[in-house]
Amino acid sequence: MEGPSPVPIVGGTGALGFGLGLRLAREGVPIVIGSRSAERAAEAAGRIREQAPEATVEGLENPEAVRRGPIVLLTVPFRAQSENLTNLKDALEPGQILVDATVPLAAAVSGRATRLLGVPQGSAGQQAQEMVPEGVEVVSALHTVSAAALADLDHDLDEDVLVAGDRGEAKRAVAELIGRIPGLRPVNAGRLETARLIEGITPLLISVNARYKTTAGVKLTGLPDELW
């Protein structure tokens, strides 16, 4: 039986990207850590191998990394989203899915992390869809999972991941990938325009978690057992 395809993570040296890479790699998903620096990417890949010795993981510069798999995770701060997508225009190809986890926090412009910036397109996810090459599908997801919780393999996850996108097939592929991480339940949140609402949950969680000194996520009640 054929194993899962490699998953490139643009921004994989950052906290969220590294945590997702670590969790996925531990479940047998091949990971390609992407970075502007091949050296930093290789260093992060080495740290994943230290914690998950059986993992298949490599580190490459971002353009080379994104060519390695059909589903690409974009886990960079908002201030770096536009630059990264501009630099990846010649690397992303029609048929690929870009999972955008960007949150337009005011911290990107030296403001408060508990405040959301306005984005002309409506959301960071919609901005990403506007910037990717034609034929690349953007799915918005993974905004509400704590990077610290992901990186702590002793921490049992138990939360939902809201997934938004305009094409059901792309959302299902992303849901299948997210569902490989024990404790994460992907939930279909509708079209990409709902990314504006999903992204807004992140500063709310930052505020709550700062007050309670924890890493709480989102959990929806009353859903059926079969979501996809």
Side-chain angles (χ1 to χ4, degrees):
M1 185 171 134
E2 193 175 330
S5 299
V7 174
I9 305 178
V10 177
T13 59
L16 178 61
F18 179 84
L20 288 167
L22 179 61
R23 291 279 180 164
L24 287 167
R26 191 174 67 161
E27 301 306 318
V29 179
I31 296 299
V32 186
I33 297 291
S35 173
R36 285 177 295 183
S37 159
E39 185 179 350
R40 287 183 63 222
E43 185 270 332
R47 286 193 287 130
I48 289 178
R49 278 191 294 269
E50 285 174 10
Q51 296 187 63
E54 303 301 314
T56 301
V57 56
E58 60 180 325
L60 300 169
E61 286 189 45
N62 284 326
E64 192 177 349
V66 302
R67 295 186 176 100
R68 294 298 181 95
I71 300 178
V72 178
L73 306 187
L74 180 66
T75 61
V76 299
F78 180 65
R79 65 179 179 275
Q81 185 204 37
S82 180
E83 178 190 354
N84 272 277
L85 290 175
T86 298
N87 292 339
L88 294 174
K89 276 192 183 297
D90 294 330
L92 290 165
E93 296 182 350
Q96 281 186 300
I97 298 169
L98 181 80
V99 182
D100 182 69
T102 311
V103 180
L105 297 175
V109 290
S110 302
R112 295 164 66 95
T114 51
R115 187 170 296 156
L116 206 64
L117 293 173
V119 182
Q121 293 84 350
S123 67
Q126 289 165 295
Q127 176 170 279
Q129 185 65 77
E130 189 176 275
M131 293 192 67
V132 295
E134 189 173 350
V136 175
E137 191 78 19
V138 170
V139 172
S140 184
L142 296 165
H143 307 85
T144 57
V145 187
S146 161
L150 286 167
D152 179 6
L153 294 180
D154 293 328
H155 178 90
D156 292 331
L157 300 171
D158 180 25
E159 58 189 275
D160 292 337
V161 175
L162 301 173
V163 180
D166 290 337
R167 200 162 60 87
E169 186 181 338
K171 283 191 286 188
R172 279 191 292 274
V174 173
E176 192 275 333
L177 177 64
I178 292 170
R180 287 179 177 271
I181 300 177
L184 294 187
R185 181 179 67 163
V187 176
N188 189 345
R191 296 182 63 82
L192 188 61
E193 65 185 13
T194 63
R196 174 177 58 86
L197 304 173
I198 299 168
E199 292 166 14
I201 298 173
T202 300
L204 173 65
L205 282 175
I206 290 171
S207 179
V208 169
N209 285 328
R211 282 170 171 77
Y212 290 102
K213 297 180 172 53
T214 187
T215 55
V218 170
K219 189 84 169 175
L220 302 182
T221 63
L223 289 175
D225 294 335
E226 187 62 52
L227 296 182
W228 297 90

